[in-house]
Amino acid sequence: MDRVLSAIRAIRQVTDKPIIVYPNNGDIYDPKPKTWSPNPTGSEPAFAHLVPQWIDAGARLIGGCCRTTPDDIRTIAQAASANV
């Protein structure tokens, strides 16, 4: 999730099209054994903190990919609604 903001900023420089982001929950996938490891920072994803930054940078649709939960999506929706 730490790369999302910089990716949005880079994309915004080359397009006016809506930007869509759907990061995972911060866990790390290892393709060799095909397993997930918990987020190495040991903290919950900071969607409530990050979503407003992503919107301010130009994201217009925000969802969740691998291992995001319904609670994560609820947090994303609440943070997006508060930022409108």
Side-chain angles (χ1 to χ4, degrees):
M1 290 194 320
D2 57 341
R3 297 181 183 140
V4 176
L5 184 58
S6 60
I8 296 167
R9 289 177 176 154
I11 293 166
R12 177 54 55 218
Q13 292 178 3
V14 296
T15 188
D16 291 331
K17 293 182 179 182
I19 297 173
I20 300 168
V21 296
Y22 52 102
N24 70 18
N25 74 343
D27 290 350
I28 306 297
Y29 183 71
D30 186 338
K32 288 185 180 182
K34 298 181 182 178
T35 59
W36 287 90
S37 299
N39 184 335
T41 64
S43 63
E44 290 295 314
F47 286 117
H49 173 71
L50 295 171
V51 167
Q53 294 178 32
W54 297 341
I55 292 170
D56 290 344
R60 293 298 168 254
L61 182 61
I62 301 171
C65 194
C66 302
R67 295 173 64 100
T68 52
T69 67
D71 285 339
D72 293 331
I73 298 300
R74 215 173 342 273
T75 300
I76 291 168
Q78 290 169 348
S81 294
N83 200 51
V84 175

